[in-house]
Amino acid sequence: MSNPNFGVWRPMAENVEFNALDSNSNAVMAVADTVRTTLGPKGLDKLLIDQAMNRHISNDGVTILLSLRAIHPVARMIVEIAERQEQLVGDGTTTAVVMSAEMIKEGKKLVRELGVHPTKVVEGIESGVKHACSLLEAETKIIKLNDNMLEQVVRTSLSSKLDGKHLSSLVISALHTVGNNAMFNGSYNFDKSILVIRKTNMDDKVVNGIVLERTRLDPEMPLEIKEPKIMIMKMNMKPVKDAWLKENSKYQDILTMENDRLSKAKQIVDSIIATGANALLIASPEVDQVVEDLLVAKRLFAVRISTEEIEYLSRYTGAKPVRMLEDLSNQDILGSSSRIYENEQNQVIYVENGSHQNIVTVIISGSTKETSQERWRAVIDGINAAEAALNNGVVAGGGSAELHIIEKVKKLRLKGLEQVGLDVVMAALESIMRQILTNAGFNGLEKVMAARSSPEGFGIDINTGEPVDMWKMGVIDPLLVKTMALKAAAEIAKSVLRIDRNLAAEDLSPQALSESKR
Ligand code: ADP
Ligand code: MG
């Protein structure tokens, strides 16, 4: 059925590839076949091998797709859409790919066997997907931060990952630690409030604070300050440029300049100390050696930070960035936390319990770069699933929500031939449960039939094969992951079905296109 050689794509001799629908749908099937067996908790792993014979074992749809060396243009299109799904909702990529393959398979039948015009099929898909999304919305339950269901969403989302149980506990602990402080304008935003960093030399843990992968400005500074008064420095801390000193060769001039440098440096450090600050987060481009020495002498804690780090350190500690000397006399420029300290061994700095308590950090270990990358991605998936669940609610998982709306989608009445496009959507809605169960070693179709005749919310227990209530089992998915996956699948299917020729073209780079417009 699928073309194993999808990676090699060449337009034919006359620069025209006939039968584009066959070629393109084969490419989709081939991509889908590589990831479909990973779907669900019983999904299998893939061994990825690159040209240098580096190996990596993965169970993650996106990781696999991104590492495929697929050059068929349609295969690349799927990879891009999958990547976008990952960016938008951060989960449900395999689901989207499996559904798109199903839509294309069904759509192709309609076009080829029944002679339905592709535009009719496409219009049917559009209406069907829209309707399916609103039906799923109607099934949605709203959840809160302390609901048990939040934990279940995270566990469901990570159930297919290596080490998923342990990673979900980390995610849940992070969610509870940051709590409602992760709300911005009425909705949860964990992008802003849960930082996830990879550290191969450290153990997994959740830190109630910010972890900077940095060391103190000077090793003679104190290692730790309790109840620090934190200042964020953006101001230039180099009063006299080195170049000036070098260029000026007259001894007297140098002396004047050195004295000037010393007194300006003193002025800066004295004004900092006058504010009561004892921990400096320095984002200034340069720090004069004299300033540094004075800070060491006064036993201040200081660490360099990047300008990107200013925003969240300021939001977390309440410190307002200081841009010039005059700012130092402003009120409320200092932030606070319960402790700031460096772990010398791991070369990280902790800012714990900032006054606003709106950020936590999850540290993810991993013996190799690839494992830590995959564990990191899994944790991000879990966090994204939690965010989507809290903001938009949840539906029954395991493909159950999709399966039980099929009958209702069927009842939708569209004009003329568009009606047949609904079959495409219904096939896709059924494919998720079927695939999850096939991957669990059952006859997928047979089990799907059994689930279909059970009440709403029911699916199949992947261990026993018996119908069970997915809500009771705690297998639940965020609505958003489902609707976005459905839309992404439809997008792929629509583009593939609409194409009747693949043509080899001259330069299609954006630059060439904009020139030809002129
Ligand atoms: P994706 O890349 O699409 O997120 P996953 O491999 O993460 O793919 O699988 C997600 C699917 O697995 C969801 O539909 C989810 O409901 C389902 N799932 C997770 N745990 C179970 C379970 N215990 N029983 C049945 N289905 C499950
Ligand atoms: Mg997933």
Side-chain angles (χ1 to χ4, degrees):
M1 178 187 72
S2 59
N3 170 10
N5 224 359
F6 68 93
V8 192
W9 182 81
R10 260 182 234 108
M12 289 163 73
E14 311 88 310
N15 287 344
V16 174
E17 178 160 332
F18 294 100
N19 272 335
L21 185 53
D22 283 334
S23 159
N24 296 348
S25 67
N26 282 345
V28 175
M29 293 311 150
V31 173
D33 286 348
T34 47
V35 292
R36 69 166 78 243
T37 53
T38 66
L39 186 68
K42 300 261 173 164
L44 299 176
D45 300 341
K46 304 285 164 205
L47 173 63
L48 305 169
I49 309 156
D50 70 7
Q51 277 180 323
M53 296 306 273
N54 295 315
R55 283 161 296 133
H56 173 55
I57 292 179
S58 175
N59 184 291
D60 178 52
V62 193
T63 309
I64 299 168
L65 287 173
L66 291 180
S67 52
L68 282 184
R69 298 206 311 144
I71 52 168
H72 190 293
V74 172
R76 289 246 59 94
M77 199 169 87
I78 298 190
V79 174
E80 279 161 24
I81 290 179
E83 215 180 343
R84 186 138 47 89
Q85 164 90 6
E86 179 74 9
Q87 280 162 5
L88 288 177
V89 276
D91 201 4
T93 324
T94 321
T95 304
V97 174
V98 168
M99 286 197 293
S100 75
E102 200 65 24
M103 286 183 184
I104 291 167
K105 198 166 94 198
E106 282 302 306
K108 197 173 125 188
K109 261 195 227 158
L110 296 174
V111 174
R112 278 288 146 75
E113 291 168 20
L114 301 179
V116 183
H117 196 275
T119 50
K120 293 292 168 207
V121 180
V122 165
E123 281 162 15
I125 294 179
E126 274 169 4
S127 316
V129 164
K130 217 163 143 198
H131 192 51
C133 287
S134 50
L135 287 169
L136 285 173
E137 266 164 45
E139 306 279 305
T140 304
K141 292 190 185 172
I142 297 302
I143 64 167
K144 296 224 171 61
L145 196 67
N146 312 327
D147 287 352
N148 199 18
M149 277 199 271
L150 182 64
E151 293 193 14
Q152 293 169 338
V153 169
V154 174
R155 291 193 195 285
T156 305
S157 152
L158 295 189
S159 62
S160 57
K161 309 291 183 208
L162 302 165
D163 208 11
K165 272 213 180 82
H166 163 71
L167 295 178
S168 13
S169 309
L170 278 181
V171 171
I172 290 161
S173 149
L175 293 170
H176 286 155
T177 308
V178 69
N180 283 331
N181 293 339
M183 290 260 242
F184 298 88
N185 304 324
S187 53
Y188 288 89
N189 185 336
F190 295 127
D191 254 7
K192 283 176 106 176
S193 49
I194 302 183
L195 308 175
V196 188
I197 63 172
R198 280 172 286 164
K199 274 295 214 178
T200 42
N201 61 344
M202 285 174 74
D203 291 336
D204 295 337
K205 74 173 161 192
V206 175
V207 177
N208 189 358
I210 292 177
V211 180
L212 300 168
E213 293 176 81
R214 299 177 176 277
T215 54
R216 286 159 299 153
L217 188 63
D218 191 296
E220 282 176 56
M221 288 177 163
L223 266 176
E224 172 185 13
I225 296 202
K226 291 213 170 86
E227 305 293 336
K229 294 283 158 242
I230 298 169
M231 178 179 288
I232 295 178
M233 261 294 169
K234 269 194 93 174
M235 185 180 96
N236 184 12
M237 308 247 285
K238 193 155 185 105
V240 175
K241 292 208 163 53
D242 289 332
W244 298 348
L245 290 175
K246 282 190 201 103
E247 275 161 22
N248 233 312
S249 51
K250 286 210 201 91
Y251 177 75
Q252 199 51 48
D253 287 348
I254 294 178
L255 201 64
T256 327
M257 232 177 241
E258 274 294 359
N259 282 335
D260 190 36
R261 176 184 178 189
L262 203 64
S263 73
K264 283 202 171 111
K266 264 210 172 101
Q267 189 197 358
I268 294 177
V269 175
D270 286 345
S271 345
I272 291 174
I273 289 174
T275 64
N278 56 7
L280 300 187
L281 309 175
I282 303 174
S284 324
E286 290 178 300
V287 180
D288 197 296
Q289 187 58 46
V290 181
V291 172
E292 184 178 324
D293 292 342
L294 286 169
L295 291 174
V296 172
K298 299 285 183 188
R299 312 248 351 114
L300 262 72
F301 184 106
V303 53
R304 275 185 173 284
I305 58 170
S306 67
T307 30
E308 293 78 52
E309 285 164 332
I310 295 179
E311 190 273 330
Y312 63 79
L313 281 161
S314 160
R315 184 156 50 78
Y316 185 58
T317 61
K320 304 212 172 57
V322 172
R323 283 157 217 278
M324 48 189 128
L325 215 49
E326 292 78 65
D327 288 352
L328 289 172
S329 51
N330 291 352
Q331 293 286 304
D332 301 331
I333 48 169
L334 297 185
S336 61
S337 83
S338 69
R339 178 159 85 127
I340 184 165
Y341 71 102
E342 177 179 327
N343 180 326
E344 276 187 304
Q345 194 193 344
N346 296 324
Q347 307 209 320
V348 287
I349 286 179
Y350 294 83
V351 184
E352 285 179 339
N353 256 304
S355 56
H356 291 203
Q357 306 259 9
N358 49 11
I359 296 179
V360 300
T361 305
V362 184
I363 299 178
I364 298 299
S365 65
S367 45
T368 63
K369 201 171 125 251
E370 287 77 16
T371 0
S372 77
Q373 168 93 17
E374 181 133 351
R375 300 175 94 243
W376 177 79
R377 218 188 259 280
V379 165
I380 302 271
D381 270 14
I383 295 172
N384 287 332
E387 182 179 302
L390 285 167
N391 290 336
N392 300 85
V394 292
V395 296
S400 161
E402 292 96 323
L403 189 75
H404 289 287
I405 59 168
I406 293 180
E407 288 303 322
K408 293 180 193 153
V409 171
K410 208 176 187 172
K411 293 207 182 101
L412 184 65
R413 287 289 159 257
L414 300 176
K415 54 180 188 312
L417 275 177
E418 279 180 38
Q419 188 71 31
V420 296
L422 287 185
D423 290 349
V424 174
V425 178
M426 291 183 326
L429 289 170
E430 194 186 90
S431 65
I432 298 309
M433 186 182 288
R434 181 154 37 90
Q435 191 66 51
I436 292 174
L437 293 170
T438 306
N439 291 352
F442 296 106
N443 179 329
L445 192 60
E446 181 194 340
K447 292 296 171 195
V448 164
M449 292 303 165
R452 245 180 119 157
S453 54
S454 309
E456 272 187 16
F458 272 60
I460 301 291
D461 185 321
I462 46 162
N463 294 311
T464 65
E466 294 303 316
V468 279
D469 187 341
M470 286 293 162
W471 292 108
K472 282 213 181 103
M473 292 282 287
V475 177
I476 48 184
D477 288 326
L479 166 75
L480 214 58
V481 173
K482 302 275 114 168
T483 51
M484 295 301 282
L486 202 52
K487 286 177 190 159
E491 198 179 321
I492 300 173
K494 287 189 304 190
S495 332
V496 170
L497 291 170
R498 268 207 207 102
I499 300 171
D500 72 338
R501 290 271 195 281
N502 292 347
L503 306 174
E506 294 292 346
D507 194 352
L508 290 179
S509 63
Q511 194 191 359
L513 285 180
S514 71
E515 273 169 16
S516 67
K517 260 191 222 141
R518 266 190 257 129

